[in-house]
Amino acid sequence: MTGDWDAIVIGSGMGGLSVAALLARVADKKVLVLEKHAEPGGFTHVFRRDGASWDVGLHYIGGLDKHRLERKLFDFVTNGDLNWNRMPDELERFVYPDFTFSVPSDPELYEQRLIARYPDERAAISRYFKDIRRAAAWHVGTIQKQMMPAFLSARIELRQGLGRAKATQTTKTYLDTHFRSEELKALLATQWGDYGLPPSESAFALHALVVESYFDGAWFPEGGSARILRTIEPCIEQKGGAIKPSQEVVEILVEDARAVGVRVIDRTRALPEEIIYRAPIVISDAGAPTTYLKLLPNEGEVGQKTASIRARIDALTNGVSAVSLYVRLKQPASSLGVLGENYWINTSLDQDDLAARTEAVMAGEPRQTFLSFPSAKSGDERVPTAEIITMIDPDVFAKWQGTEAGHRGAEYTALKQRISEGLIRLADRTVPGFADLVAYSELSTPLTIEHFTSHPSGRFYGLAGTPARYGAGALTARTPIPGLFLTGSDVASLGIVGAMMGGLAAACQIMGGTAFIRIMARMKEPEDAPAPDRPGLGKYRITLAAKTALTPKIWKLEFDLDGDAAIVPGQYGKLRVAPFEWRCYSIAELAGRRLTLLVSTRTGGDGSVYVDKVAPGDTTLIELPLGAYRLNDNDHRKIFVATGTGLAPFLPMFRYLAEQGRIDRAELYFGCRTPQDDITTSFAKDLPKTIRCLTRAEAQAPDISGRVTDALAALAFDPATTDFYICGAAAMVADARTILERAGAEQILVEPY
């Protein structure tokens, strides 16, 4: 049992991070943030492949002018360490078969362009811009009520009554009532993917809030959205708090009808272990459905208190999901004339037929996509990237519900390939030459979203923003259970900013009374001076003891830890390689307090720069152990496939197998270009039977001339008694998995991070 926390936050999305930072900076509270995944941050997190990085949930943010509350709040919870890049003035391009419309970062110019194209709708267009502002303000009021003292909340409620009817009609109803042109109605609804409901289902207030937020332009975090977590984290840690990953909360503990802590499954160990954390305040950023339907008891006194809320949630769990294609490009998008703007690509004017859209996506012929370029927006195009997203009904993936990532079979892999090819084709029609720039791609589905966010069925934006959501009994940060609060988008609005406002609402409810005034006053004070590193739970200060070049591009780094740690063979750590920049590296060895990593400098990214410059005696931080890569505990034949530093997680596995007397059941296929690129020679004593696959040199038996995937294609094995472990370049891993799935392999173990 673990206590001594002032508050516990379930989930590390923007709602959880913001409330934790506010409680730490304003109320001096020691806050523990628990994240079930190894990568915290929710929709702010980034994943990387071979030097490329993609922002999974943040694509652009509006309303970040210096004078706006949203920007001031971002600056406060990050202590001013997060910088923002403004997107091009022509931030959106709405692409249709017969025309393209560019949306400027100026509402007056936007209105003029619409009137110029649709002069017969002049009056309706002008009224639309007024109504957008009014409905957006109405929506903001629904959030503000949770932040204010009771007498002010009552005034807001009274004022809102005047605009409720217009704000809570559907977007389609508003458009059909005020406009005649079907083309104009489609054009104005183009951005519905930003809020996840087609016009016939979304509340006009939600549409208005999103559209209005971009009137004055859009911004993207400098360096990518991972900077959000990393700049908030020190604010939490300096007050003694921590963000602890791989901690799955399975129950909110309630004693005497009050929340007192959480029961957690710690997945950093060889076997999952149950831990109880206690605190007088529990804040859930896991979403309202997960909180009320799964983490709290549904019977007894608690069940009675939450019955009406659970019924309301059941009526609001519709909504869409998405498939997202993450693309690494051979050259920056600027080579195609792209400046970093977003493209909304449509093959028809129909914005509502989700079933037909979904069917088309599954067939590899998508009708709509959102195309963006995160590397251009982040200001770092060392490895250029793109993302292609299309909304779908998540139910089409129901047949794979409950299956594990990497174990969904050849049919699922083939479906993803078909969808990916279709998305690339559609993007290429709008940006000619795009397909030729694709170097690598990887598709996520609603199953991926559900896995990482816990949103039921992977519905992208949590509770759907239908008119019913804004009726009586709307969800708030305060719950019927004393000591328990909600944060995030379900109590405010969707998106990163909406989730942050949910964090502000939760902080105000927790601190009570004049909390909003206190927070605003604290925000006006100077930023805190940078404090010395105060590592949170699971972080260690490390000192480089030795640095050895294994090849011109691969280095062995040996560090001394400032404390005792233990790992499971296959796990990895996150190394701080620059201010607010951390990179994941598999652990090649941990002997006592001596930690060994293998790091490639091939990509030229921040990790590469760090390795080039670091020298013995230099210190940094590392977080470990992380990851769920494990050896299957059986007597199967074990085939390991690696390229480059992908050998690292296998080295402790080999040592373990040798200790168990089972190393003779293992084989290693290692791919490299020439013998000079072969790092296995540096670890010969630890390896099982090894076959090198040389792509640019003549091989002598038992080695092979060709790629490791060629060797796998020719390999004879019994699917029932052979386990495959793959680690290395992302393209190799994907190709190897496809080959083995087609050959009938039943156990293919990978862990991308």
Side-chain angles (χ1 to χ4, degrees):
M1 186 176 296
T2 305
D4 196 30
W5 301 100
D6 295 323
I8 293 170
V9 179
I10 304 168
S12 65
M14 193 65 217
L17 294 173
S18 57
V19 69
L22 288 168
L23 292 177
R25 296 201 68 190
V26 181
D28 290 323
K29 291 192 180 295
K30 182 179 177 183
V31 185
L32 174 64
V33 181
L34 299 171
E35 170 57 50
K36 77 172 184 175
H37 295 290
E39 186 66 39
F43 275 126
T44 71
H45 100 261
V46 166
F47 77 94
R48 293 179 170 84
R49 299 284 185 269
D50 299 336
S53 66
W54 295 273
D55 306 79
V56 300
L58 193 160
H59 302 102
Y60 59 145
I61 291 179
L64 291 190
D65 278 323
K66 288 283 187 179
H67 69 280
R68 298 213 18 174
L69 174 61
E70 295 94 324
R71 177 59 176 269
K72 293 176 182 178
L73 188 55
F74 260 121
D75 288 346
F76 182 67
V77 298
T78 63
N79 198 35
D81 288 323
L82 180 65
N83 297 318
W84 294 90
N85 291 334
R86 188 180 174 92
M87 287 179 58
D89 284 340
E90 303 288 318
L91 77 154
E92 306 263 48
R93 292 193 184 182
F94 297 165
V95 181
Y96 286 86
D98 299 323
F99 69 98
T100 296
F101 186 93
S102 292
V103 179
S105 302
D106 179 333
E108 293 183 3
L109 180 57
Y110 187 5
E111 182 178 344
Q112 291 169 11
R113 285 185 183 177
L114 287 171
I115 291 173
R117 184 172 180 87
Y118 307 99
D120 293 342
E121 306 263 20
R122 172 186 292 271
I125 291 170
S126 295
R127 182 170 55 239
Y128 172 77
F129 279 82
K130 293 183 178 69
D131 288 342
I132 284 290
R133 290 185 174 92
R134 290 167 183 159
W138 184 93
H139 193 305
V140 169
T142 67
I143 305 170
Q144 288 177 331
K145 288 186 295 185
Q146 302 181 66
M147 305 174 187
M148 301 297 170
F151 75 95
L152 289 177
S153 293
R155 290 183 183 180
I156 295 172
E157 179 69 28
L158 181 63
R159 188 172 70 245
Q160 279 193 296
L162 302 175
R164 184 178 301 277
K166 181 169 288 185
T168 58
Q169 65 185 309
T170 68
T171 304
K172 186 178 190 303
T173 297
Y174 177 90
L175 295 174
D176 286 344
T177 301
H178 294 89
F179 298 101
R180 297 185 300 275
S181 167
E182 295 300 320
E183 182 181 290
L184 176 56
K185 286 188 281 187
L187 186 66
L188 294 176
T190 300
Q191 290 164 298
W192 72 262
D194 275 338
Y195 49 86
L197 280 178
S200 61
E201 298 180 41
S202 63
F204 181 62
L206 180 59
H207 169 83
L209 186 73
V210 171
V211 171
E212 191 273 340
S213 73
Y214 297 120
F215 272 174
D216 296 314
W219 287 257
F220 196 81
E222 182 181 288
S225 59
R227 289 276 180 93
I228 295 175
L229 165 75
R230 292 304 179 186
T231 50
I232 292 176
E233 187 175 41
C235 299
I236 298 169
E237 292 180 340
Q238 291 304 321
K239 300 297 183 179
I243 300 172
K244 190 163 177 57
S246 299
Q247 308 292 302
E248 182 181 2
V249 176
V250 294
E251 181 184 3
I252 296 171
L253 302 177
V254 181
E255 296 175 2
D256 298 325
R258 181 181 182 85
V260 297
V262 294
R263 184 164 59 88
V264 172
I265 304 301
D266 180 352
R267 300 194 183 280
T268 65
R269 306 163 192 251
L271 295 174
E273 182 176 316
E274 183 176 299
I275 299 176
I276 290 177
Y277 294 99
R278 300 182 71 89
I281 298 170
V282 177
I283 309 156
S284 179
D285 191 32
T290 297
T291 304
Y292 282 108
L293 304 180
K294 295 182 179 180
L295 299 181
L296 284 171
N298 289 172
E299 299 84 26
E301 182 179 2
V302 173
Q304 292 174 0
K305 287 184 174 182
T306 61
S308 62
I309 294 177
R310 284 184 280 114
R312 182 166 180 77
I313 289 171
D314 284 339
L316 293 174
T317 51
N318 60 325
V320 304
S321 187
V323 291
S324 301
L325 187 68
Y326 303 102
V327 180
R328 186 173 74 242
L329 301 173
K330 299 172 185 175
Q331 298 177 33
S334 58
S335 65
L336 301 176
V338 175
L339 301 178
E341 66 274 24
N342 300 320
Y343 291 78
W344 295 87
I345 306 170
N346 298 269
T347 62
S348 75
L349 296 177
D350 186 358
Q351 298 285 2
D352 264 307
D353 194 346
L354 185 62
R357 283 174 175 243
T358 300
E359 183 179 352
V361 170
M362 301 293 276
E365 294 295 336
R367 299 180 179 181
Q368 180 272 338
T369 65
F370 172 78
L371 171 64
S372 69
F373 300 87
S375 59
K377 290 184 283 189
S378 72
D380 183 356
E381 291 218 83
R382 287 175 292 183
V383 184
T385 56
E387 295 178 13
I388 313 174
I389 304 170
T390 190
M391 299 294 165
I392 62 168
D393 182 345
D395 291 342
V396 293
F397 284 89
K399 67 184 295 183
W400 292 284
Q401 200 78 31
T403 59
E404 293 184 28
H407 298 278
R408 294 183 176 131
E411 181 186 357
Y412 181 76
T413 300
L415 172 62
K416 289 176 64 174
Q417 182 66 26
R418 183 165 65 249
I419 293 172
S420 300
E421 291 171 354
L423 292 173
I424 291 172
R425 280 196 301 271
L426 185 53
D428 190 66
R429 293 176 201 165
T430 297
V431 183
F434 177 85
D436 291 336
L437 287 190
V438 174
Y440 169 80
S441 66
E442 183 172 332
L443 188 81
S444 75
T445 72
L447 304 176
T448 318
I449 298 169
E450 182 176 27
H451 175 71
F452 281 103
T453 68
S454 297
H455 289 178
S457 299
R459 298 184 189 277
F460 217 53
Y461 292 112
L463 292 179
T466 61
R469 178 171 174 177
Y470 303 100
L475 290 169
T476 65
R478 185 173 292 276
T479 77
I481 311 302
L484 176 64
F485 300 85
L486 295 187
T487 185
S489 59
D490 283 351
V491 300
S493 184
L494 53 79
I496 303 299
V497 172
M500 180 174 64
M501 289 303 169
L504 177 57
C508 289
Q509 291 290 324
I510 293 165
M511 294 166 60
T514 59
F516 184 77
I517 297 172
R518 290 171 57 196
I519 292 171
M520 293 301 104
R522 180 69 178 84
M523 286 168 56
K524 293 178 182 178
E525 296 176 8
E527 296 164 359
D528 293 342
D533 288 328
R534 182 171 181 173
L537 287 177
K539 291 197 177 84
Y540 299 83
R541 193 179 310 281
I542 57 176
T543 303
L544 184 66
K547 175 181 176 182
T548 306
L550 303 183
T551 75
K553 294 290 185 181
I554 297 179
W555 295 79
K556 181 171 76 169
L557 303 182
E558 298 175 75
F559 295 94
D560 290 327
L561 278 69
D562 68 349
D564 295 323
I567 68 160
V568 178
Q571 289 187 300
Y572 65 91
K574 287 182 187 170
L575 182 72
R576 189 178 68 180
V577 298
F580 309 116
E581 291 292 335
W582 298 65
R583 295 293 182 267
C584 300
Y585 297 109
S586 294
I587 298 169
E589 186 175 14
L590 179 57
R593 293 189 175 183
R594 177 60 62 89
L595 170 75
T596 302
L597 305 176
L598 304 183
V599 182
S600 170
T601 60
R602 177 176 54 85
T603 65
D606 288 321
S608 301
V609 172
Y610 170 80
V611 174
D612 284 339
K613 293 182 177 180
V614 70
D618 291 349
T619 64
T620 188
L621 299 179
I622 195 165
E623 182 176 9
L624 58 81
L626 298 168
Y629 213 14
R630 303 284 193 276
L631 276 167
N632 282 341
D633 191 12
N634 56 39
D635 290 322
H636 288 183
R637 179 186 180 190
K638 299 185 184 301
I639 297 178
F640 297 84
V641 183
T643 56
T645 57
L647 179 67
F650 298 156
L651 293 173
M653 292 183 179
F654 296 151
R655 297 185 192 104
Y656 176 80
L657 289 173
E659 292 169 1
Q660 298 293 311
R662 291 186 287 173
I663 193 67
D664 61 321
R665 301 290 296 158
E667 306 160 48
L668 170 64
Y669 287 80
F670 185 80
C672 54
R673 293 184 296 180
T674 68
Q676 289 70 40
D677 301 308
D678 177 20
I679 64 171
T680 64
T681 56
S682 299
F683 305 95
K685 65 182 180 62
D686 297 316
L687 304 185
K689 175 186 174 183
T690 299
I691 297 93
R692 296 185 303 176
C693 302
L694 304 175
T695 58
R696 297 189 182 179
E698 197 68 34
Q700 302 295 321
D703 296 336
I704 297 170
S705 294
R707 300 180 182 275
V708 289
T709 47
D710 298 330
L712 292 179
L715 186 67
F717 64 92
D718 178 1
T721 60
T722 307
D723 299 342
F724 291 90
Y725 301 80
I726 312 172
C727 189
M732 182 279 289
V733 173
D735 291 345
R737 174 185 278 173
T738 299
I739 290 168
L740 293 172
E741 284 177 340
R742 290 173 178 169
E746 298 175 6
Q747 286 293 318
I748 306 171
L749 293 98
V750 302
E751 187 181 46
Y753 47 68

